[in-house]
Amino acid sequence: MHIGMVGLGRMGGNMMERLRAAGITVTGYDANPENSEVPTLSEFVATLPQPRRAIWIMVPAGDPTTAVLNELAGLLDEGDVVVEGGNSHFERDQENAAMLFEKGIRYVDVGVSGGIWGRDNGYGLMAGGDQEDIEHLLPVFDALRPEGPREEGFVHAGPVGAGHYSKMVHNGIEYGLMQAYAEGYQLLEARDDLIPDVGAVFGAWRRGTVVRSWLLDLMVRAVKEDPGLDDIRGWVEDSGEGRWTIVEAIDGAVPVPVISGALFARFSSRQPNSPAMRAVAALRKQFGGHAVRSAEEQGAAGTPDPAASDE
Ligand SMILES: O=C(CO)[C@H](O)[C@H](O)COP(=O)(O)O
């Protein structure tokens, strides 16, 4: 099998290496000429064997992905298949697929999980598309997924959109799991009189416990590298999938308190001096004459002394 890979960043570049190690021929294209194996997208397409050329796209979700798809639409022929492996919104997939289907170009969306570890460990894959296209691409999926039973690292989840819908939910779960480990970390750390070695407690949870997981393994690794996580600021970005998960939940009236809380915790992380919390403090002062901290005291954290409360 010979496939083209568009986007040779952290994910695409590693995936290309894993495919090659498994015996799949890959031609790589990147918009950055320094990273690219072929100068232009049209020359890249020309290197791929016909019929049924296969191209895997691994560029940032949204407009960059759509721009590549629009360009490919003018270069590919009927029967060729495009695999969108980034973190596209599932409804964007359906729009993109409709645009390509008009020209007879096939479309498969694949949610890819595994991060920078996937090159060696394999990637968890969630695919959406027609059965015929999925079967055509099975050698590629088998090369990318972890060793072991196929159904434990790959799913044909449904029609176009199902792959990225599954990946969106996966990422929502990821938010909740990370937040739970993080809150546990803070609770352990808060009692250094009782728990002198937080990393040792996390480490002991890795086998046998109900909360063992790969994210826990990574937590142990992070705490080992920097026990107090002192080199990392408590500021967390998000790439959008958590938001999409919550929008979907609202549309379907599905209660997702954990995932919502985890997303909002990230927003809070970006507001060390929150306007909303200043308003709460101001209101307490207004109705009860309660003390507020001055702007100079901002940043002093901790549990209030109940004895100091006048409530
Ligand atoms: O898909 C992923 C992991 O499964 C990506 O790493 C994703 O970017 C993580 O999402 P966020 O940046 O919102 O935390």
Side-chain angles (χ1 to χ4, degrees):
M1 177 111 192
H2 184 163
I3 189 168
M5 178 71 73
V6 178
L8 305 179
R10 264 199 317 260
M11 289 295 284
N14 280 346
M15 288 165 72
M16 184 166 76
E17 282 187 37
R18 185 170 176 89
L19 287 167
R20 284 181 176 158
I24 307 273
T25 305
V26 189
T27 306
Y29 171 79
D30 195 279
N32 177 355
E34 285 180 15
N35 292 346
S36 191
E37 299 178 341
V38 190
T40 64
L41 198 62
S42 63
E43 287 168 89
F44 160 79
V45 168
T47 67
L48 302 173
Q50 296 194 64
R52 297 188 88 184
R53 286 177 290 209
I55 294 180
W56 192 299
I57 302 174
M58 221 52 212
V59 304
D63 293 341
T65 297
T66 303
V68 171
L69 288 169
N70 285 337
E71 207 179 335
L72 283 174
L75 298 169
L76 296 177
D77 294 320
E78 194 172 333
D80 292 340
V81 58
V82 169
V83 183
E84 191 337 62
N87 274 342
S88 283
H89 190 280
F90 69 98
E91 285 171 348
R92 226 1 141 79
D93 286 317
Q94 291 164 341
E95 290 162 17
N96 291 335
M99 182 270 289
L100 292 172
F101 281 168
E102 276 181 25
K103 297 167 191 266
I105 302 165
R106 321 286 308 166
Y107 188 95
V108 169
D109 60 293
V110 182
V112 180
S113 180
I116 53 174
W117 300 76
R119 187 191 64 188
D120 299 326
N121 296 351
Y123 299 89
L125 304 172
M126 297 139 259
D130 287 353
Q131 181 66 25
E132 189 191 336
D133 298 321
I134 300 291
E135 277 170 21
H136 177 53
L137 293 162
L138 269 184
V140 174
F141 297 142
D142 281 341
L144 288 173
R145 68 173 175 82
E147 284 173 20
R150 181 184 284 153
E151 67 275 16
E152 291 184 12
F154 170 80
V155 64
H156 177 197
V160 166
H164 281 141
Y165 188 89
S166 307
K167 179 66 179 5
M168 178 190 78
V169 175
H170 162 286
N171 279 24
I173 293 170
E174 183 180 293
Y175 275 52
L177 288 173
M178 287 196 289
Q179 186 64 26
Y181 286 125
E183 290 174 13
Y185 170 80
Q186 185 167 2
L187 282 167
L188 290 170
E189 219 217 2
R191 288 303 301 264
D192 56 1
D193 56 326
L194 275 177
I195 311 285
D197 189 346
V198 173
V201 175
F202 271 109
W205 291 347
R206 293 178 75 183
R207 287 183 197 275
T209 72
V210 172
V211 298
R212 65 191 186 274
S213 75
W214 188 56
L215 279 173
L216 177 73
D217 294 344
L218 295 180
M219 188 76 211
V220 171
R221 195 171 190 268
V223 173
K224 199 170 181 182
E225 280 173 10
D226 178 6
L229 303 180
D230 297 320
D231 294 339
I232 297 175
R233 191 173 157 202
W235 172 291
V236 186
E237 295 289 351
D238 72 294
S239 312
E241 295 214 34
R243 300 180 193 213
W244 298 343
T245 310
I246 290 159
V247 169
E248 188 63 19
I250 291 168
D251 285 349
V254 178
V256 289
V258 171
I259 298 172
S260 307
L263 176 68
F264 292 163
R266 293 191 187 195
F267 295 165
S268 296
S269 80
R270 302 171 208 162
Q271 295 191 323
N273 184 15
S274 154
M277 290 299 108
R278 292 211 300 274
V280 171
L283 287 171
R284 284 181 81 244
K285 184 180 177 195
Q286 291 287 332
F287 68 65
H290 301 297
V292 294
R293 293 191 181 203
S294 68
E296 290 72 40
E297 288 175 289
Q298 290 296 341
T303 310
D305 176 1
S309 170
D310 53 1
E311 286 170 273

